[in-house]
Amino acid sequence: FYLAKSITAPIEQLSEVATRVSQGNLVDTEITVTSNDEIGELAVAFDRLINSYKILDTLAKDDE
């Protein structure tokens, strides 16, 4: 049970954040996955993607 939960919980968190971001909600997009496996790497990459999106969104709003 513990092993399954340690795998599914980070994936569920990534899914929830991805859903919020896809709806335009950039608030509370912090991902707290601390593992160094593939799921942790995915979380780090996704966090970088969100940060880049926030920067582009800010720049687009400044141009208006």
Side-chain angles (χ1 to χ4, degrees):
F1 177 76
Y2 176 75
L3 177 63
K5 192 67 175 171
S6 70
I7 294 171
T8 58
I11 294 172
E12 288 175 355
Q13 182 184 17
L14 279 169
S15 177
E16 290 170 7
V17 171
T19 299
R20 286 195 302 267
V21 170
S22 72
Q23 296 169 345
N25 183 359
L26 298 178
V27 178
D28 192 29
T29 58
E30 179 101 15
I31 301 171
T32 57
V33 177
T34 58
S35 62
N36 291 326
D37 58 5
E38 290 84 0
I39 295 172
E41 290 177 17
L42 177 62
V44 168
F46 193 75
D47 193 41
R48 287 182 188 147
L49 176 75
I50 291 171
N51 287 333
S52 296
Y53 183 74
K54 286 179 180 179
I55 290 168
L56 291 173
D57 187 53
T58 301
L59 291 173
K61 287 179 180 175
D62 287 346
D63 284 344
E64 293 175 358

